[in-house]
């Protein structure tokens, strides 16, 4: 007895499937007789739950892996997670603050225990989410960026780069998070438009002469780090002032006026303040002019001793007090409101402070050059390669040190003036390891080869590297994809993956980025609870093309559920009517002779050819569309209905099972749970659909069955007339068919039973010499003309009366509308939108009147 409920219940169907796959070892890559295929998961941060973006990213990866397994590859989908440096530390700090302690209260060792505890907690949550989505990951090979093997790889890379002179320590302007007290990479910064101001501040002349020079600045609190004012050397307004001294307001410190072509004469007052320790452009000016580079702020964003009376104040409190004092001293000429783009720490939310700091850097010139010249990665879509190349050609040296405790400790030790860089700690007493850790991206840049065992020469590395496809969003091409490529080329001599499939970002239905501030985020687990993982996977993987953004629209997820329900009902019908069938009963031997059977098998071949071509181009939406149309229209709407006429015949049952098997296998990568459920109820040999062969065109030597399309065209033609005249499907209507040849008439006669089933005719006549029929609706089709006598469709007298009444109504509406549109008062006073709306209604009335008159004429004929 086939046990399938009339309605698809996603929670029931999806329950237990993942455990079954794990028990069967379906996710393991361990067959050296098969060709290898490898996708590494972009490691999610252990900072919290996965979001819809992760779901999209990993679903695409899982589609690739599941299909390749079925195509006979030893497919490895390698899981792992990223320690995520500052992101995780910020979360742990937040938890500790809620407990009333800080990391400094705990000390480094105990703090790291708390961080590892956090990691284990959220790694478990992430694994449960992977399970909920249905990701076929080889858990035996799971990696973490702070595990022993990856830490060995990180140290190896650091030491080699250091020994080649690519890593150096120096003072540079970096992005500084005053709350986390660490340097930040560009990827850790979110730029937001905020309200600010240009403060026009006068610096008095130091010699006591009247007046001074006015500077426009958005950050007046940094003036305590000023070392000069700067003008353009060719600006005639200041020709006599170069070399003169001015005084920093509220202080006794005098600074010179210098000249540099960097100044934009047309911007602001034409004078800029030079603060080398707090501005990257000023830092370059300071180097050119050999200026001092004093800091005026502490690491926590409070003012230091250079700020005088403002020492110890938080930077923005200082700004407020300073502006008030400048106004009282008559040194604040004006405050000009401005909206400007300001960097914020992605993790702590504070405004980032540019700050001069001694950090570790990677020299990027040669690494970037090699990455461009030796890279073999094929980007999909291709346009993203240009983005990668442009960024690599303009890349700056990479700041890799972070003032954190959670991360890879920099493998450098100091003893007095001695410095040791090594894979392990140096021997002897008195050595102190660098307190900083490495940027998270330093370890994740090694992900494609470090996860496979590098620097050791492992079997997995030899077999699966380079990996085959990286799937990721376009927003991290710069920060992750680029770094993986230049590190892989440097350390393995090869690009890390053969192809890079780029997708966009998930937005809400209005096209807005999902964010906490907008409150438009969607939890994938809520969607799975409501519609199931299969529906979410199908929607998320088929509603966007490579490289483009995706809009989350709940009604489309519901439509995906409806399709799965349709597939469920098709399967339920087929299985209930083929109960007891074996694998042998599915074989198309002898070859089907029925025209409908030949037709559906031919359409299956066409569909699989087209869908497989789309799969190979990563056009998952197009592949799914072809499979959807075939399953819903060709199979369910036509063949399954036709098959009801001969459901007891072996040939019909074999074709039903054969086609259904191909459909569920082709849809398996999109919707793994429901297809496994259906597969288990189909006759099968393989223990799981995951071990079943991928469906391809059979290329059976069967005759062309395209002539059956003529039957379908006739059926559709009659259905359209029924719909137009509101004739119920159950009401018999007369159908007369005149064909252009005796051959067509003979073919239609052979398939009379199909016409009778689908047309429900009161009288059905088919002939090549059928005379024209009066008082009938005519439908002209290729090779045939349909006549539907009006008397069998409608009560002619009643229809004439109805149409006359409708014509009278429409003529009245047109007169009313014309009166409005010809009224000068209406045209003068009414809003343009109202006039446009009335004109549109008038056009609709006119079109409907034309159709009603045509219908009336046809009825009277």
């Amino acid at each position: 007895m086939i046990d399938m409920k009339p309605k698809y219940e996603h929670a029931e169907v999806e329950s237990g499937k993942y455990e079954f796959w794990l028990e069967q070892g379906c996710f393991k890559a361990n067959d050296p007789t098969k060709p290898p295929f490898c996708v590494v998961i972009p490691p999610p941060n252990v900072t919290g739950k996965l979001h819809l973006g992760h779901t999209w990213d990993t679903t695409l990866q899982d589609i690739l892996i599941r299909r390749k397994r079925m195509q006979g590859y030893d497919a490895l989908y390698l899981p792992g997670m990223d320690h995520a440096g500052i992101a995780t530390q910020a979360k742990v700090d937040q938890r500790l603050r809620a407990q009333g302690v800080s990391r400094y209260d705990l000390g480094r060792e105990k703090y790291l225990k708390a961080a590892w505890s956090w990691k284990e907690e959220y790694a478990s949550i992430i694994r449960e989410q992977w399970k909920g989505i249905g990701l076929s990951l080889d858990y035996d090979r799971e990696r973490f960026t702070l595990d022993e093997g990856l830490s060995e790889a990180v140290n190896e890379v650091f030491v080699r780069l250091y020994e080649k002179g690519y890593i150096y320590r120096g003072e540079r302007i970096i992005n500084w998070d005053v709350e986390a007290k660490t340097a930040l990479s560009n990827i850790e910064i979110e730029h937001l438009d905020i309200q600010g101001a240009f403060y026009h501040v006068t610096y008095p002349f130091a010699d006591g002469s009247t007046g001074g020079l006015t500077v426009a600045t958005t950050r007046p609190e940094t003036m305590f780090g000023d070392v000069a004012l700067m003008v353009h050397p060719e600006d005639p307004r200041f020709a006599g002032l170069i070399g003169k001294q001015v005084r920093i307001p509220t202080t006794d410190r005098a600074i010179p006026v210098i000249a540099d072509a960097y100044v934009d004469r047309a911007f602001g007052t034409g004078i800029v303040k030079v603060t080398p320790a707090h501005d990257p452009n000023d830092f370059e000016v300071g180097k050119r002019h050999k200026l001092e580079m004093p800091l005026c702020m502490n690491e926590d964003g409070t003012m230091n001793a250079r700020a005088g009376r403002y020492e110890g104040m938080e930077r923005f409190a200082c700004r407020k007090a300073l502006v008030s004092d400048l106004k009282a001293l008559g040194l604040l000429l004006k405050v000009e409101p401005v909206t400007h783009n300001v960097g914020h720490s992605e993790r702590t939310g504070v405004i980032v402070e540019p700050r001069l700091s001694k950090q570790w850097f990677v020299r990027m010139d040669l690494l970037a050059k090699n990455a461009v010249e030796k890279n073999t990665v094929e980007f999909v879509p291709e346009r993203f390669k240009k983005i990668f190349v442009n960024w690599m050609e303009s890349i700056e040296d990479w700041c890799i040190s972070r003032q954190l405790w959670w991360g890879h400790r920099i493998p450098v030790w100091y003893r007095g003036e001695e410095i040791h860089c090594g894979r392990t700690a140096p021997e002897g007493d008195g050595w102190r390891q660098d307190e900083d850790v490495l940027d998270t991206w330093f370890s994740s840049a090694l992900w494609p080869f470090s996860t496979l065992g590098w620097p050791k020469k492992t079997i997995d590395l030899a077999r699966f590297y380079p990996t085959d496809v990286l799937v990721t969003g376009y927003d991290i091409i710069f920060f992750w994809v680029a770094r993986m490529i230049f590190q892989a080329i440097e350390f393995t001599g090869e690009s890390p993956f053969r192809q890079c499939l780029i997708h966009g970002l998930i937005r809400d239905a209005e096209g807005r980025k999902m964010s906490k501030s907008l409150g438009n985020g969607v939890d994938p687990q809520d969607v799975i609870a409501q519609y199931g993982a299969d529906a979410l996977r199908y929607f998320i993987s088929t509603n966007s093309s490579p490289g483009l953004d995706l809009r989350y629209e709940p009604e489309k997820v519901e439509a995906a559920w409806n399709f799965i329900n349709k597939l469920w009902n098709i399967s339920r019908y087929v299985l209930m009517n083929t109960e007891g069938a074996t694998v042998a009963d599915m074989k198309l031997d002898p070859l089907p002779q029925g025209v409908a059977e030949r037709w559906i098998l031919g359409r299956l071949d066409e569909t699989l050819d087209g869908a497989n071509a789309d799969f190979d181009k990563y056009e998952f939406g197009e592949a799914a569309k072809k499979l959807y149309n075939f399953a819903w229209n060709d199979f369910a709407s036509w063949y399954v209905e036709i098959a009801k006429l001969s459901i007891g015949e072996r040939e019909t049952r074999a074709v039903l099972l054969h086609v259904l098997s191909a459909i569920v296998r082709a849809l398996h990568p999109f919707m793994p749970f429901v297809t496994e459920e259906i597969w288990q109820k189909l006759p099968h040999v393989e223990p799981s659909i995951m071990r079943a062969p991928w469906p391809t065109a059979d290329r059976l030597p069967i005759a062309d069955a395209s002539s059956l399309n003529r039957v379908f065209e006739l059926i559709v033609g009659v259905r359209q007339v029924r719909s137009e005249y509101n004739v119920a499907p159950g009401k018999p209507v007369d159908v007369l068919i005149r064909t252009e040849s005796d051959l067509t008439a003979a073919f239609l006669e052979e398939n009379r039973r199909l016409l009778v089933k689908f047309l429900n005719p009161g009288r059905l006549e088919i002939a090549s010499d059928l005379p024209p029929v009066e008082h009938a609706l005519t439908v002209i089709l290729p090779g045939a003309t349909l006549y539907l006598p009006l008397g069998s469709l409608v009560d002619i007298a009643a229809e004439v009366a109805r149409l006359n009444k409708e014509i009278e109504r429409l003529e009245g509406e047109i007169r009313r509308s014309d009166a409005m549109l010809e009224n000068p008062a209406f045209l003068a006073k009414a809003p343009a939108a109202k006039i446009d709306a009335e004109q549109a209604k008038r056009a609709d009335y006119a079109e409907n009147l034309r159709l009603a008159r045509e219908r009336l004429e046809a009825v009277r004929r």
Side-chain angles (χ1 to χ4, degrees):
M1 180 76 178
I2 297 297
D3 180 23
M4 291 183 75
K5 292 184 177 179
K7 184 180 177 183
Y8 165 62
E9 301 284 353
H10 61 262
E12 186 175 316
V13 167
E14 293 176 5
S15 176
K17 294 288 184 300
Y18 205 79
E19 291 77 9
F20 168 73
W21 289 325
L22 289 172
E23 288 166 9
Q24 292 292 321
C26 292
F27 301 164
K28 295 182 185 297
N30 54 9
D31 189 344
T33 66
K34 295 179 179 179
F37 184 89
C38 181
V39 171
V40 293
I41 199 169
N45 296 344
V46 288
T47 49
K49 297 179 180 179
L50 304 181
H51 52 65
L52 268 182
H54 290 112
T55 307
W56 187 12
D57 200 52
T58 52
T59 296
L60 295 181
Q61 294 154 28
D62 198 50
I63 287 172
L64 293 172
I65 284 289
R66 285 180 180 269
R67 179 170 179 256
K68 286 296 180 182
R69 281 200 194 97
M70 296 173 76
Q71 288 180 313
Y73 287 81
D74 188 29
L76 169 59
Y77 188 11
L78 193 150
M81 302 177 205
D82 197 320
H83 69 282
I86 188 173
T88 302
Q89 181 154 316
K91 293 285 188 180
V92 176
D93 286 349
Q94 186 179 11
R95 174 177 283 184
L96 290 175
R97 277 197 300 274
Q99 297 170 358
V101 294
S102 73
R103 57 180 157 132
Y104 302 105
D105 296 329
L106 294 180
R108 190 164 193 150
E109 188 176 339
K110 288 184 179 179
Y111 178 83
L112 289 178
K113 285 183 180 178
W116 276 103
S117 176
W118 172 283
K119 179 265 176 185
E120 292 303 327
E121 177 183 342
Y122 279 91
S124 297
I125 292 171
I126 289 169
R127 288 189 200 101
E128 281 300 305
Q129 289 188 279
W130 285 343
K131 171 186 172 182
I133 301 166
L135 303 185
S136 54
L137 297 156
D138 188 340
Y139 290 100
D140 288 348
R141 291 175 166 94
E142 183 179 334
R143 305 306 299 268
F144 180 57
T145 49
L146 275 179
D147 70 27
E148 187 177 341
L150 269 69
S151 295
E152 180 185 349
V154 166
N155 287 346
E156 182 70 23
V157 167
F158 188 98
V159 171
R160 286 201 209 174
L161 290 175
Y162 181 86
E163 290 173 349
K164 292 182 75 169
Y166 289 172
I167 284 184
Y168 65 93
R169 196 181 190 207
E171 287 196 317
R172 295 275 296 278
I173 294 286
I174 45 84
N175 304 303
W176 187 261
D177 183 321
V178 299
E179 182 173 316
K181 299 184 191 140
T182 181
L184 300 177
S185 67
N186 292 333
I187 189 65
E188 296 162 329
I189 296 172
E190 184 178 11
H191 286 85
L192 303 173
D193 287 335
I194 64 171
Q195 290 298 312
F198 271 122
Y199 300 92
H200 292 252
V201 180
T202 298
Y203 287 59
F205 291 120
D207 60 8
S209 56
T210 305
L213 296 180
T214 301
V215 172
T217 178
T218 58
R219 300 163 66 214
E221 67 278 4
T222 63
M223 69 168 56
F224 303 111
D226 289 351
V227 293
L229 294 189
M230 185 165 61
V231 299
H232 195 282
E234 297 174 6
D235 193 330
R237 294 175 295 176
F238 311 114
L241 295 175
I242 296 170
K244 196 173 178 66
Q245 299 270 315
V246 295
R247 184 168 48 81
I248 298 174
T250 75
T251 78
D252 294 326
R253 288 197 299 280
I255 56 176
V257 178
I258 64 173
D260 195 289
Y262 163 75
V263 177
D264 181 354
R265 285 177 279 182
F267 184 76
T269 64
I271 308 169
V272 297
K273 58 197 281 300
V274 181
T275 322
H278 292 278
D279 183 277
N281 295 314
D282 291 0
F283 174 73
E284 297 300 326
V285 170
K287 287 200 297 185
R288 283 200 298 275
H289 292 267
K290 295 182 171 53
L291 300 173
E292 287 186 74
M293 299 188 180
L295 288 161
C296 65
M297 285 184 208
N298 300 312
E299 291 182 349
D300 62 357
T302 58
M303 307 306 294
N304 67 18
R306 288 187 68 86
R309 73 182 79 164
Y310 307 102
E311 182 180 2
M313 293 183 71
E314 188 275 331
R315 54 184 169 158
F316 298 124
C318 168
R319 178 187 295 178
K320 185 176 180 180
L322 175 60
V323 167
S324 177
D325 291 345
L326 290 171
K327 187 175 182 181
L329 292 168
L331 299 178
L332 184 68
L333 266 63
K334 64 176 178 177
V335 178
E336 185 181 356
V338 64
T339 299
H340 57 160
N341 199 251
V342 177
H344 291 66
S345 171
E346 188 181 50
R347 301 306 175 185
T348 64
V350 299
I351 290 177
V352 169
E353 192 66 43
R355 177 182 174 85
L356 182 66
S357 179
K358 184 175 280 189
Q359 302 287 343
W360 287 95
F361 295 88
V362 175
R363 203 181 307 279
M364 287 303 306
D365 48 3
L366 189 56
L367 290 171
K369 181 174 181 289
N370 288 339
V372 171
E373 293 178 355
K374 299 178 181 180
N375 176 44
T376 59
V377 173
E378 176 192 350
F379 283 84
V380 183
E382 189 179 2
R383 68 180 182 272
F384 288 104
K385 182 175 183 179
K386 187 178 292 185
I387 294 173
F388 160 75
V389 170
N390 289 343
W391 191 70
M392 292 306 295
E393 289 177 345
S394 58
I395 195 170
E396 297 178 352
D397 286 357
W398 174 18
C399 176
I400 56 171
S401 47
R402 298 288 180 271
Q403 290 64 54
L404 304 171
W405 288 356
W406 176 244
H408 293 98
R409 193 89 170 262
I410 288 177
V412 173
W413 288 260
Y414 309 96
R415 185 170 65 180
E417 297 299 314
E418 293 181 85
I419 296 178
H420 172 80
C421 175
R423 296 162 185 80
T424 57
E427 295 181 0
D429 297 330
W431 290 99
R432 174 183 56 84
Q433 188 173 1
D434 197 303
E435 292 290 322
D436 291 352
V437 300
L438 288 162
D439 177 14
T440 300
W441 298 99
F442 194 91
S443 53
S444 57
L446 317 180
W447 189 251
F449 53 96
S450 64
T451 52
L452 293 170
W454 188 95
K456 294 184 174 71
K457 294 180 180 179
T458 64
I459 294 173
D460 276 359
L461 186 67
R463 178 161 171 74
F464 292 107
Y465 186 82
T467 62
D468 289 274
V469 186
L470 177 84
V471 183
T472 192
Y474 60 62
D475 54 328
I476 56 172
I477 291 175
F478 305 145
F479 310 108
W480 189 43
V481 177
R483 286 173 176 153
M484 283 190 287
I485 290 173
F486 73 68
Q487 291 285 47
I489 289 173
E490 173 67 20
F491 289 99
T492 72
E494 296 180 272
S495 292
F497 26 84
R498 294 179 176 88
Q499 291 181 306
C500 182
L501 174 58
I502 301 292
H503 59 77
L505 304 177
I506 290 193
R507 301 184 180 277
D508 67 10
E510 297 174 33
R512 302 175 300 174
K513 187 176 179 181
M514 290 185 173
S515 67
K516 290 181 181 177
S517 58
L518 291 173
N520 61 347
V522 175
D523 188 335
Q525 298 198 234
D526 291 342
V527 183
I528 290 170
Q530 186 174 3
Y531 296 108
D534 283 337
L536 177 58
R537 285 174 63 115
Y538 185 80
F539 158 74
I540 215 166
S541 58
T542 61
N543 277 270
S544 178
S545 294
L548 300 180
D549 289 348
L550 169 70
R551 292 193 179 195
Y552 178 77
E553 298 171 272
E555 59 271 19
K556 288 189 177 180
V557 185
E558 185 174 357
W561 187 94
N562 288 334
F563 174 47
I564 298 171
N565 188 54
K566 181 72 171 181
L567 177 65
W568 179 262
N569 288 326
I570 300 168
S571 304
R572 183 171 182 268
Y573 173 80
V574 171
L575 291 165
M576 288 177 67
N577 285 279
T578 57
E579 192 168 357
T582 66
V583 172
D585 294 325
M586 296 175 69
K587 292 181 180 178
L588 304 180
D589 183 17
L591 292 178
Q593 297 302 307
V595 65
E597 283 67 40
R598 298 201 309 272
W599 172 80
I600 194 65
L601 292 172
R603 283 292 300 124
L604 176 61
D605 274 6
E606 291 171 17
T607 300
L608 292 176
D609 279 343
N612 276 312
D614 291 329
F615 269 115
D616 290 340
K617 294 182 291 186
Y618 305 122
E619 290 283 359
F620 301 124
E622 292 302 309
K625 189 184 300 180
K626 290 179 176 66
L627 294 170
Y628 175 100
N629 289 335
F630 176 79
W632 194 299
N633 299 323
D634 297 333
F635 189 57
S637 298
W638 289 118
Y639 184 71
V640 170
E641 292 302 313
I642 292 169
K644 290 177 182 178
L645 298 172
S646 56
I647 193 66
E649 297 177 12
R650 182 200 176 280
E651 176 177 287
T652 302
R653 291 157 59 91
V655 170
L656 283 169
L657 290 168
H658 177 86
V659 175
L660 179 59
S661 170
I663 290 171
V664 296
R665 282 180 287 141
L667 287 172
H668 175 71
F670 295 114
M671 45 185 76
F673 294 99
V674 71
T675 51
E676 180 71 73
E677 179 79 5
I678 296 167
W679 176 260
Q680 293 297 333
K681 298 180 188 306
L682 279 164
H684 62 278
V685 174
E686 299 82 1
S688 166
I689 192 172
M690 290 181 64
R691 299 194 190 280
W694 179 252
T696 55
D698 291 309
R699 310 273 182 252
L700 297 173
I702 54 178
D704 175 52
S706 59
S707 51
L708 192 63
N709 290 326
R710 291 185 178 180
V711 175
F712 298 152
E713 287 166 354
L714 291 170
I715 294 167
V716 170
V718 174
R719 283 175 173 174
Q720 287 175 340
V721 172
R722 281 182 176 274
S723 174
E724 194 175 342
Y725 280 84
N726 296 317
V727 180
K731 179 184 177 182
V733 297
D734 294 344
V735 181
L736 292 79
I737 306 169
R738 185 176 69 192
T739 65
E740 292 181 1
S741 69
D742 292 339
L743 193 63
T744 301
F747 177 78
L748 294 180
E749 278 293 351
E750 286 176 21
N751 290 280
R752 173 178 280 268
R753 64 175 189 159
L754 299 186
L755 295 174
V756 170
K757 174 176 175 56
F758 287 100
L759 298 182
N760 188 21
R763 176 166 61 108
L764 176 62
E765 290 188 26
I766 305 167
S768 62
D769 56 354
L770 189 78
V773 182
E774 293 185 358
H775 303 296
L777 287 177
T778 304
V779 180
I780 299 173
L781 298 168
T785 301
L786 277 176
Y787 298 99
L788 287 86
L790 279 165
S792 73
L793 286 170
V794 295
D795 180 326
I796 293 177
E799 183 67 3
V800 167
R802 187 189 71 79
L803 287 169
N804 278 326
K805 188 174 182 181
E806 177 65 5
I807 288 168
E808 184 181 343
R809 184 188 74 81
L810 289 168
E811 288 174 339
E813 289 291 353
I814 288 173
R815 287 194 297 272
R816 180 197 61 75
S817 189
D818 285 345
M820 286 183 67
L821 293 170
E822 292 168 5
N823 184 342
F826 172 74
L827 296 174
K829 295 179 181 178
K834 188 170 183 180
I835 295 171
D836 291 344
E838 191 59 40
Q839 288 173 334
K841 282 196 286 185
R842 205 276 183 203
D844 287 342
Y845 295 145
E847 175 62 14
N848 290 338
L849 180 61
R850 182 185 69 78
L851 294 172
R853 284 171 173 166
E854 283 184 4
R855 179 75 58 80
L856 181 61
E857 185 179 348
V859 171
R860 282 174 169 167
R861 277 204 299 267

